[in-house]
Amino acid sequence: MLKFLKTWTLPISMLMGTIGYFIFSEVAFLSPVKPVLNTLVVYLMPSLIFAQLLLTFCKVKVRELMPCPWHGWLLLIQVISSLVLVALLLWVPMAEEYREIFEGALVCLICPTATAAAVITGKLGGSASSLTTYTLLSNLLAAVAVPLLFPLVEPHADASFFSAFLKILGKVFPLLLFPFFLAVFLRNCLPAVHRFLSGLRDLAFYLWAVSLAIVTAQTVRSLVHSEADVWVEIGIAIGGLITCILQFYWGKRIGTRYDDRISAGQALGQKNTVLAIWMAYTYLNPLSSVGPGSYVLWQNMFNSWQLWKKGRDVG
């Protein structure tokens, strides 16, 4: 039973999130609970993301975090591609529906590497340690870039750029970087606690499943309440597909030059989509969360194909 749940966690979590949204939105006697649930989502999602990163970084030894040349190239791709989309959104006049498509793609590009990417990389025969290093670097990049770029893309009338920057920085920076510093502190100062957290091998997996259900419910809510046409929603999903293809391609192309094709491909292509959906829903047009929401499917379909091909070749 446990093996079945692990195999089908992605569709089960997304199905539960979808069903849960319609239950709490359509069943009349549950309506008084909605404000409480909304508050829980606002505070629970960052906590779940923080916990997943902490459990991941507890398994990392600092001396193993060695930068590679391809790390710099991949970070440069993330920055340049994100800046190109921001420039388009700022300087090219376009209808609101087209902005939502580009905003969805922007989140897919700037989002850091998934915490589970090291597992897939190891199964494919890549270097889990070099990918973990890039995961930390991409978190650092996102912690700085998101507060800088998002207020430009989606300005708020009640807040200046600087105040919006500080507000997002205050939430995103600690969320992405404090787990690493806390893991280092626990390893050196509270080794018993560190060993306990490191031993919780499957907890991060289950936290990810809960997070995926919540962000799926948020994405469904955006779709239901959106006044956009269906073709716009399809366009946002296609934007997620295009960014997925490009990032896996760029990563593998650069990784090939440094004899680390698998690690580089997963580093740039496999994204922390739970974080991406939360950021899009919280700081951009909520409909743009469909972009990273679709990215969940695209990257997992590609990863499933890679694992199948790897097993066939080995067999």
Side-chain angles (χ1 to χ4, degrees):
M1 182 63 179
L2 185 61
K3 183 179 180 180
F4 172 82
L5 290 175
K6 282 189 174 183
T7 303
W8 297 98
T9 295
L10 172 66
I12 290 174
S13 296
M14 298 181 75
L15 180 62
M16 292 301 294
T18 303
I19 294 174
Y21 167 76
F22 284 109
I23 289 176
F24 284 103
S25 62
E26 300 297 335
V27 179
F29 73 86
L30 291 176
S31 57
V33 187
K34 290 180 188 177
V36 178
L37 291 175
N38 290 337
T39 303
L40 283 176
V41 167
V42 169
Y43 292 101
L44 183 60
M45 275 306 304
S47 301
L48 289 172
I49 295 170
F50 185 98
Q52 292 174 62
L53 290 173
L54 175 61
L55 292 170
T56 299
F57 290 138
C58 275
K59 300 173 184 177
V60 175
K61 296 179 181 179
V62 178
R63 62 176 178 270
E64 295 178 351
L65 300 178
M66 298 297 294
C68 303
W70 60 261
H71 290 161
W73 286 110
L74 265 56
L75 291 172
L76 189 62
I77 287 176
Q78 280 190 263
V79 172
I80 293 176
S81 61
S82 299
L83 289 176
V84 168
L85 287 187
V86 170
L88 289 174
L89 287 165
L90 288 177
W91 296 324
V92 177
M94 64 180 71
E96 183 63 29
E97 54 265 27
Y98 294 111
R99 291 186 61 86
E100 292 161 356
I101 295 174
F102 283 109
E103 285 185 12
L106 172 62
V107 179
C108 294
L109 291 171
I110 200 61
C111 179
T113 306
T115 56
V119 178
I120 301 297
T121 300
K123 289 182 178 181
L124 292 173
S127 172
S129 58
S130 63
L131 186 134
T132 303
T133 304
Y134 185 80
T135 301
L136 179 60
L137 293 173
S138 65
N139 277 356
L140 176 60
L141 173 65
V144 175
V146 168
L148 283 172
L149 299 181
F150 280 19
L152 295 173
V153 172
E154 198 70 33
H156 297 278
D158 59 341
S160 64
F161 168 81
F162 188 68
S163 61
F165 166 77
L166 292 178
K167 181 180 179 181
I168 300 176
L169 182 69
K171 292 184 178 180
V172 174
F173 195 89
L175 177 66
L176 296 184
L177 293 185
F178 278 14
F180 173 74
F181 295 123
L182 180 58
V184 173
F185 171 79
L186 293 176
R187 178 183 290 274
N188 293 288
C189 301
L190 296 172
V193 177
H194 183 271
R195 283 194 299 272
F196 172 75
L197 293 177
S198 299
L200 300 174
R201 298 185 180 277
D202 294 328
L203 182 57
F205 176 80
Y206 295 122
L207 291 176
W208 172 80
V210 174
S211 303
L212 182 58
I214 293 173
V215 297
T216 298
Q218 290 178 317
T219 303
V220 171
R221 179 184 180 184
S222 300
L223 290 171
V224 170
H225 291 279
S226 172
E227 298 179 356
D229 294 333
V230 174
W231 72 266
V232 176
E233 297 167 357
I234 295 175
I236 299 173
I238 292 176
L241 174 61
I242 293 173
T243 57
C244 183
I245 294 173
L246 289 176
Q247 289 185 108
F248 272 109
Y249 172 78
W250 288 334
K252 289 181 178 295
R253 183 74 180 268
I254 291 175
T256 300
R257 299 189 62 179
Y258 295 97
D259 198 26
D260 206 355
R261 184 174 183 271
I262 294 174
S263 304
Q266 296 305 123
L268 192 61
Q270 190 170 348
K271 297 292 188 174
N272 189 339
T273 47
V274 168
L275 174 64
I277 296 172
W278 175 76
M279 289 192 303
Y281 188 87
T282 305
Y283 300 118
L284 300 176
N285 188 312
L287 188 59
S288 65
S289 63
V290 175
S294 68
Y295 202 103
V296 177
L297 295 174
W298 309 136
Q299 75 174 9
N300 280 282
M301 289 171 61
F302 183 67
N303 283 336
S304 298
W305 176 79
Q306 289 188 107
L307 291 171
W308 169 81
K309 188 173 184 295
K310 176 71 175 180
R312 187 193 64 176
D313 294 342
V314 171

